[in-house]
Amino acid sequence: DAGVTQSPTHLIKTRGQQVTLRCSPKSGHDTVSWYQQALGQGPQFIFQYYEEEERQRGNFPDRFSGHQFPNYSSELNVNALLLGDSALYLCASSYGQGYNSPLHFGNGTRLTVT
Amino acid sequence: DAKTTQPPSMDCAEGRAANLPCNHSTISGNEYVYWYRQIHSQGPQYIIHGLKNNETNEMASLIITEDRKSSTLILPHATLRDTAVYYCIVRVPTTSGTYKYIFGTGTRLKVLA
């Protein structure tokens, strides 16, 4: 039973460019959340997708956008990259909205902006 | 907007119990406490969660005070592989009917041989 998978594992981009990160949730999960983790900090919530809609958003600018597909996989897009966007981007999946379902995390995508 | 406070670091001797405290004094009645740990270069791993009763599973025990303002994660027999950053998290219901997990800065646990 595959867990949460993310691609790519590492990425280097230049300031001003755009990036797309991908996530496949754990089998049976229908909800995907994205987190940004700066070095030495705890993960910060970006947004959550359920039924192909953004359901909740953290304190991140509109440069951060996402999408969820009918198979529950998800993408995170970041436009106009800044040096401060360098971080580990984590995807987490869970089941349902009203259930007591723990988040399952992938191992993240390490994004470096130069 | 972290709702939890944890000591930044702790040491524990191998084979001894590791007791990791967490303060969540502003927690509301329907907010769960979750614990995760993160080993370097990996995603956070779920450990245990609870609302108001003490919980135990194969990894750890969770003790929540009666007033729910604090909790303690207990690793009964710490091993070197338990060296990690441990996050105490409050799961907050949102206005859209979903949940948001708010991470703090965690406790860096070092298990010493």
Side-chain angles (χ1 to χ4, degrees):
Chain A
D1 178 18
V4 178
T5 58
Q6 294 186 243
S7 63
T9 55
H10 295 82
L11 203 51
I12 300 174
K13 290 286 189 177
T14 304
R15 270 179 305 176
Q17 286 188 317
Q18 179 264 344
V19 68
T20 297
L21 310 182
R22 295 177 176 83
C23 172
S24 291
K26 180 178 169 65
S27 177
H29 285 184
D30 57 7
T31 303
V32 173
S33 302
W34 286 91
Y35 287 79
Q36 181 195 66
Q37 186 174 26
L39 204 60
Q41 302 296 314
Q44 298 296 307
F45 175 72
I46 303 175
F47 43 54
Q48 180 188 75
Y49 277 83
Y50 173 66
E51 292 184 331
E52 301 179 49
E53 289 186 14
E54 183 184 293
R55 298 290 178 152
Q56 189 67 26
R57 189 177 184 93
N59 190 24
F60 280 80
D62 291 344
R63 298 187 298 109
F64 289 77
S65 63
H67 189 77
Q68 186 179 34
F69 299 93
N71 67 353
Y72 308 120
S73 67
S74 178
E75 288 181 350
L76 164 66
N77 301 291
V78 186
N79 294 323
L81 284 167
L82 304 173
L83 294 179
D85 294 332
S86 295
L88 180 68
Y89 288 86
L90 294 162
C91 171
S93 71
S94 59
Y95 173 72
Q97 293 297 289
Y99 291 92
N100 198 7
S101 169
L103 293 179
H104 290 253
F105 283 85
N107 284 330
T109 294
R110 173 72 62 188
L111 173 64
T112 302
V113 182
T114 63
Chain B
D1 58 342
K3 298 191 73 168
T4 61
T5 305
Q6 300 176 254
S9 64
M10 293 180 63
D11 290 341
C12 177
E14 188 178 21
R16 304 297 294 267
N19 295 279
L20 291 91
C22 179
N23 181 289
H24 32 79
S25 58
T26 61
I27 196 170
S28 298
N30 59 351
E31 294 174 351
Y32 279 75
V33 177
Y34 280 71
W35 283 82
Y36 281 75
R37 71 180 183 185
Q38 187 173 26
I39 297 169
H40 184 62
S41 298
Q42 296 182 19
Q45 175 191 23
Y46 166 76
I47 301 173
I48 199 167
H49 71 279
L51 182 62
K52 53 185 177 182
N53 297 320
N54 297 338
E55 302 288 344
T56 295
N57 63 19
E58 65 278 4
M59 288 183 70
S61 294
L62 174 61
I63 308 297
I64 303 174
T65 58
E66 194 167 339
D67 63 8
R68 302 211 324 121
K69 292 180 186 261
S70 66
S71 61
T72 300
L73 177 74
I74 301 172
L75 307 178
H77 306 286
T79 71
L80 298 179
R81 287 177 296 180
D82 292 323
T83 293
V85 177
Y86 286 77
Y87 292 101
C88 170
I89 299 153
V90 172
R91 190 187 75 160
V92 179
T94 71
T95 54
S96 61
T98 65
Y99 294 96
K100 187 167 65 173
Y101 293 69
I102 303 176
F103 283 74
T105 52
T107 296
R108 186 172 298 276
L109 175 69
K110 192 175 197 178
V111 180
L112 305 172

